[in-house]
Amino acid sequence: MAGGRGERFWPMSRQQRPKQFLSLTGGEKTMIQLTVERLQPLIELEDIYIVTNQSYRELVKEQLPGLPAENILAEPMARNTAPCIALAAAAIANKYEDALMCVLPSDHLIKYTAMFLDVLRRAGKVAEKGENLVTIGITPTYPETGYGYIRFAPAGENGSYRVERFVEKPALTAAKEYLSSGQYLWNSGMFVWKLSTIRENFRRFLPRIYEGMEEIRAACKAKDFESTLERCFTAFPSESIDYGIMEKAQDIYVIPGSFGWDDVGSWLALERINRTNEFGNAVSGDVVTINTKDTIIRGGKRLIAAVGVEDLIVVDTEDAVLICAKDSTAEIKKVIENLKICNRNELI
Amino acid sequence: MAGGRGERFWPMSRQQRPKQFLSLTGGEKTMIQLTVERLQPLIELEDIYIVTNQSYRELVKEQLPGLPAENILAEPMARNTAPCIALAAAAIANKYEDALMCVLPSDHLIKYTAMFLDVLRRAGKVAEKGENLVTIGITPTYPETGYGYIRFAPAGENGSYRVERFVEKPALTAAKEYLSSGQYLWNSGMFVWKLSTIRENFRRFLPRIYEGMEEIRAACKAKDFESTLERCFTAFPSESIDYGIMEKAQDIYVIPGSFGWDDVGSWLALERINRTNEFGNAVSGDVVTINTKDTIIRGGKRLIAAVGVEDLIVVDTEDAVLICAKDSTAEIKKVIENLKICNRNELI
């Protein structure tokens, strides 16, 4: 899944180059390149499908040159995760009668690849055994209120647990309870299931999307593929796979992972990911800090000098500099709105 | 007087281009250009002498192309204001037997030129009448602790007041008392006197500098002028005119001025000078502010976006960005020290 248009990493991310196509974690490789690379030992490149927006097709080609062009599935418009997954399922169904399907966001960070792949393998085993939907849960490390939680029941096979229920993003008190109970995992948005299982679940819980999925599958090699896609997506409801299927279906299992996961949801992630120095600053690039604490600085080509400040986020790019209070990251999108109003599209 | 190397406007000011050679107040003209321009109705360009450091000679030529080259007096080293004024006095004495001499910093802002010139004219009248040293005092508008104060006695002629005493930079309590007493003015560092009067005062209170001044005057058209200057300045004590002469001499008068003066002493001046918007921000350049208060932003070629911050100073230049808490401007010099240690002279 690589269709996100996230505005939360402005000014580094832009409409034309959102987060998944950026290197945010220090190295040279972008999030999507890292995501594909870490799957290599388990899944061949010919079996990796990228669902993205039409406007990012060329970016995907550029960043993943080894990927077959037909594996780039370009959504004509964003319709949340259920139609995104249906599109991928249609393309896979056109190639294989049945298969194990693994759904992964392209913009998450995973530090321990071997452990991650091991979890995927075990998830595959659980998914193969019956009509199970398997989700990867993350062992929480703090009471995050920005993620959904999964309550799990006693252990099953292969390190899996039956899912008791999904919980939407909780308030802090609830999040703290979940954490201390030891009965909840974070919902990572990563799934493993048989193609046949997810199709059956679409048929049952999201019949309109199921019909579109079948149409798309049938048109996969036809001349009118693009127009079929356009027509189906226009008609699709905007629906998440969590709400549309996972919260309603039977036989949901979760496999907990502790493989150094981070969804890199905002600039604040940089201080979780990058080692901070003795004053709590997470800096990269050409930076001088004087009497500065708990500040995240992402330098570009210029020197950034921070003097006497704390709890700030500073991001320098070629044409824009952001200075944001740590507790105000949600307001970064207002800058973008402001730029839109002023028709300054080159900065968005 | 244009020899200052002020580091307080880093990253905009650099060793190679200090404050007086910058435009800080919004227009295109630099501080020194504005200083010379506002004197034009009163003093001809041929009678304006610029005392600066040798390394700024070309900058002065560039910024003041109409000024006779011989009116640029290049100090071989900085020795505070007394030697600086002695050098100017020597050059003037080489041209005129006696003259009215007006000493002005090149990096102060004055908003009401006509009123300022009127004050200078009156100061000239007072200076001509006897052996008076006249200083321009600024009517205080708040209890600033960064300036010296002048206590004045009952009024004399031409709107002048006899100076009772000079006071060094006071603590806040004292500054508040001075302000409420109505008996004190800020010491602006602007002076008017006859050439003969100041020479006599040098002879009396700073005899070593007086001797050097006479040597320099005698060498003004000689081949060994540069080496004479070098020798004299090396021997000069580093002494301010305030401490060396003004605080000791007789017949000191002050003329109060309310001509919109600001010494532009740090980035904080920008919010006094530039109108601030309803949230107390003083911004220039390409700036977007969201939920931002009491912040000074000096944009460059890039967009600066400030989100959820307050009491900050942000300055963007081609190769460096400063983010500084308003109460930490004194620590900007530590950035420069740091850069020196790292041999990053291109940024200093």
Side-chain angles (χ1 to χ4, degrees):
Chain A
M1 297 189 290
R5 294 183 167 278
E7 297 178 329
R8 288 175 293 182
F9 284 89
W10 189 90
M12 186 160 259
S13 68
R14 302 292 169 98
Q15 266 184 0
Q16 294 311 310
R17 190 177 293 263
K19 175 190 165 200
Q20 61 272 29
F21 302 111
L22 295 176
S23 159
L24 285 167
T25 52
E28 291 200 349
K29 287 181 178 148
T30 65
M31 305 293 287
I32 195 168
Q33 286 175 328
L34 291 171
T35 299
V36 167
E37 187 180 81
R38 78 170 66 93
L39 290 169
Q40 295 295 280
L42 193 62
I43 305 174
E44 288 180 44
L45 214 48
E46 297 78 55
D47 286 338
I48 293 178
Y49 291 79
I50 311 287
V51 188
T52 191
N53 188 278
Q54 272 177 2
S55 54
Y56 305 140
R57 191 196 286 271
E58 291 309 310
L59 263 179
V60 176
K61 275 189 191 167
E62 197 181 285
Q63 297 204 349
L64 300 170
L67 193 88
E70 64 270 25
N71 287 19
I72 303 172
L73 307 171
E75 297 176 301
M77 65 207 67
R79 282 285 190 258
N80 211 330
T81 49
C84 161
I85 289 166
L87 171 56
I92 298 166
N94 183 58
K95 188 170 173 187
Y96 297 107
E97 200 172 324
D98 202 358
L100 263 180
M101 181 177 170
C102 176
V103 176
L104 300 169
S106 60
D107 58 354
H108 288 182
L109 176 77
I110 285 161
K111 279 194 186 162
Y112 305 108
T113 300
M115 289 171 69
F116 169 67
L117 293 177
D118 188 47
V119 167
L120 283 190
R121 277 187 203 97
R122 284 190 278 122
K125 282 183 185 161
V126 175
E128 276 177 330
K129 212 167 191 174
E131 306 302 304
N132 302 329
L133 298 172
V134 186
T135 175
I136 312 295
I138 305 296
T139 314
T141 47
Y142 63 95
E144 169 71 51
T145 58
Y147 304 149
Y149 284 69
I150 297 169
R151 186 180 165 90
F152 59 90
E157 284 177 11
N158 281 304
S160 73
Y161 299 79
R162 190 173 270 274
V163 170
E164 211 169 279
R165 61 183 172 100
F166 285 85
V167 185
E168 303 279 323
K169 298 173 184 178
L172 186 61
T173 328
K176 283 180 177 169
E177 281 169 22
Y178 297 166
L179 189 66
S180 62
S181 76
Q183 283 300 112
Y184 289 83
L185 297 168
W186 287 336
N187 182 2
S188 71
M190 299 188 269
F191 308 103
V192 179
W193 43 53
K194 282 189 297 191
L195 181 60
S196 52
T197 308
I198 195 65
R199 288 177 70 190
E200 174 57 22
N201 276 285
F202 268 110
R203 196 191 58 75
R204 188 164 166 200
F205 297 111
L206 296 169
R208 275 172 66 195
I209 298 180
Y210 176 77
E211 281 165 37
M213 174 166 66
E214 288 301 294
E215 262 192 83
I216 293 166
R217 185 185 60 80
C220 261
K221 281 173 182 165
K223 281 180 187 167
D224 66 346
F225 178 69
E226 296 292 335
S227 61
T228 305
L229 207 58
E230 174 90 27
R231 183 165 37 77
C232 290
F233 263 76
T234 308
F236 281 162
S238 191
E239 184 78 88
S240 77
I241 196 80
D242 297 78
Y243 186 79
I245 292 181
M246 301 305 284
E247 296 184 13
K248 290 159 181 150
Q250 303 294 311
D251 300 323
I252 316 280
Y253 289 86
V254 62
I255 304 205
S258 305
F259 36 70
W261 173 87
D262 200 296
D263 74 336
V264 196
S266 79
W267 285 118
L268 294 172
L270 292 197
E271 63 182 352
R272 291 195 301 266
I273 296 164
N274 297 338
R275 198 161 295 167
T276 53
N277 69 13
E278 57 182 314
F279 301 106
N281 301 316
V283 307
S284 66
D286 191 5
V287 175
V288 173
T289 57
I290 304 289
N291 192 21
T292 288
K293 290 193 306 184
D294 301 324
T295 286
I296 298 166
I297 304 180
R298 176 88 185 196
K301 291 184 180 165
R302 273 169 292 285
L303 173 76
I304 309 281
V307 180
V309 300
E310 60 182 284
D311 291 325
L312 283 189
I313 297 161
V314 178
V315 182
D316 182 35
T317 69
E318 203 60 31
D319 56 359
V321 184
L322 170 72
I323 299 105
C324 181
K326 270 195 195 168
D327 59 8
S328 300
T329 54
E331 295 187 85
I332 294 173
K333 63 174 187 293
K334 290 188 187 170
V335 175
I336 300 170
E337 283 163 22
N338 189 304
L339 294 171
K340 276 181 191 158
I341 290 165
C342 299
N343 287 310
R344 305 196 58 188
N345 297 315
E346 75 282 6
L347 287 165
I348 298 172
Chain B
M1 297 188 289
R5 295 184 166 277
E7 296 178 332
R8 288 175 293 182
F9 284 89
W10 187 90
M12 186 161 258
S13 67
R14 303 291 169 98
Q15 266 184 2
Q16 294 311 309
R17 189 176 295 263
K19 177 189 163 198
Q20 60 270 32
F21 302 111
L22 296 175
S23 158
L24 284 167
T25 53
E28 292 200 348
K29 289 181 176 146
T30 65
M31 305 293 287
I32 194 169
Q33 285 175 328
L34 291 172
T35 299
V36 167
E37 188 181 79
R38 77 170 67 94
L39 289 171
Q40 294 295 281
L42 193 62
I43 305 173
E44 287 180 45
L45 213 49
E46 297 79 55
D47 285 339
I48 293 177
Y49 291 80
I50 311 286
V51 188
T52 190
N53 189 278
Q54 273 178 2
S55 53
Y56 305 140
R57 191 197 286 271
E58 291 309 310
L59 263 178
V60 176
K61 275 189 192 169
E62 199 181 284
Q63 299 204 350
L64 300 171
L67 192 88
E70 65 269 25
N71 287 18
I72 304 172
L73 308 170
E75 297 176 300
M77 64 206 69
R79 283 284 189 258
N80 210 330
T81 48
C84 162
I85 289 166
L87 171 55
I92 298 167
N94 183 57
K95 189 172 174 186
Y96 297 106
E97 200 172 327
D98 201 356
L100 261 181
M101 181 176 172
C102 175
V103 177
L104 300 169
S106 60
D107 59 353
H108 288 181
L109 177 77
I110 285 162
K111 279 194 186 161
Y112 305 108
T113 299
M115 289 170 70
F116 169 66
L117 293 178
D118 187 47
V119 167
L120 283 192
R121 276 187 204 100
R122 283 191 279 124
K125 281 183 186 162
V126 175
E128 276 178 330
K129 212 166 191 176
E131 304 303 304
N132 302 329
L133 297 172
V134 185
T135 173
I136 312 295
I138 305 295
T139 314
T141 47
Y142 63 94
E144 168 71 51
T145 57
Y147 305 149
Y149 284 68
I150 296 169
R151 186 179 165 91
F152 58 91
E157 283 176 15
N158 283 303
S160 73
Y161 298 80
R162 189 173 272 274
V163 170
E164 210 168 280
R165 63 185 172 97
F166 285 85
V167 185
E168 302 279 322
K169 298 173 183 177
L172 186 60
T173 327
K176 283 180 179 170
E177 282 169 24
Y178 296 166
L179 189 65
S180 62
S181 75
Q183 282 301 113
Y184 288 82
L185 297 168
W186 286 337
N187 182 1
S188 69
M190 299 188 270
F191 306 103
V192 179
W193 44 52
K194 282 189 295 190
L195 180 61
S196 54
T197 308
I198 194 67
R199 289 176 71 190
E200 174 56 23
N201 275 284
F202 268 111
R203 195 190 59 75
R204 187 162 166 202
F205 297 110
L206 296 169
R208 276 173 65 197
I209 298 180
Y210 176 77
E211 280 166 37
M213 175 166 67
E214 288 301 293
E215 261 192 83
I216 293 166
R217 184 183 63 79
C220 260
K221 282 174 182 163
K223 279 182 188 165
D224 65 347
F225 178 68
E226 296 293 333
S227 63
T228 305
L229 207 57
E230 174 90 28
R231 184 165 37 75
C232 289
F233 263 77
T234 307
F236 281 161
S238 192
E239 185 77 88
S240 76
I241 195 81
D242 296 77
Y243 185 78
I245 292 182
M246 301 306 282
E247 295 183 15
K248 290 161 182 150
Q250 303 294 309
D251 300 322
I252 316 281
Y253 288 86
V254 62
I255 303 204
S258 305
F259 36 70
W261 173 88
D262 201 294
D263 74 335
V264 197
S266 80
W267 284 118
L268 294 173
L270 292 197
E271 64 183 352
R272 290 195 301 263
I273 297 165
N274 298 338
R275 198 162 294 168
T276 54
N277 70 12
E278 57 183 313
F279 301 105
N281 301 316
V283 307
S284 65
D286 191 4
V287 174
V288 172
T289 57
I290 304 288
N291 193 21
T292 287
K293 291 191 307 181
D294 301 324
T295 286
I296 298 166
I297 305 180
R298 176 89 187 196
K301 291 184 180 165
R302 275 168 292 285
L303 173 76
I304 308 283
V307 181
V309 300
E310 61 182 283
D311 291 325
L312 283 188
I313 297 161
V314 178
V315 182
D316 181 35
T317 68
E318 202 59 32
D319 57 358
V321 184
L322 170 72
I323 299 105
C324 180
K326 269 194 194 168
D327 59 7
S328 300
T329 54
E331 293 187 85
I332 294 173
K333 65 175 188 290
K334 290 188 187 168
V335 175
I336 300 170
E337 284 163 19
N338 190 305
L339 293 170
K340 276 180 191 159
I341 290 163
C342 299
N343 288 311
R344 303 195 60 188
N345 297 316
E346 75 284 6
L347 287 166
I348 297 172

